[in-house]
């Protein structure tokens, strides 16, 4: 999608949530994951992690214990 230039926020969100749902469904079927976690829950958590995690050009910040 990136190479073709045909990437949209809505389409990316839909595809991401679909992929997460597929993984969650497989985990539920295997009995390894809870049934009350949604793809939106996982996506929100990932966004939070990506927001605070250092990128390639940022140095990690020390945290106080």
């Amino acid at each position: 999608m990136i190479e073709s230039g045909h990437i949209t926020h809505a389409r990316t969100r839909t595809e991401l949530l679909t992929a997460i749902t597929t993984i969650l469904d497989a985990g539920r079927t295997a009995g390894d994951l809870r049934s009350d976690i949604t793809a939106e829950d996982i996506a929100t958590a990932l966004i939070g992690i990506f927001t605070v995690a250092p990128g390639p050009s940022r140095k990690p910040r020390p945290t106080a214990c």
Side-chain angles (χ1 to χ4, degrees):
M1 288 188 308
I2 293 171
E3 288 178 10
S4 70
H6 292 69
I7 188 168
T8 64
H9 178 71
R11 182 174 175 192
T12 301
R13 182 178 189 281
T14 300
E15 290 183 12
L16 177 63
L17 292 177
T18 299
I20 294 170
T21 298
T22 299
I23 294 167
L24 290 174
D25 289 345
R28 289 180 187 121
T29 300
D32 295 328
L33 296 177
R34 298 176 5 190
S35 63
D36 63 334
I37 303 299
T38 67
E40 289 83 4
D41 294 333
I42 300 299
T44 300
L46 289 172
I47 290 167
I49 291 167
F50 294 149
T51 300
V52 299
S57 63
R58 291 176 31 197
K59 294 182 181 178
R61 292 184 282 170
T63 58
C65 295

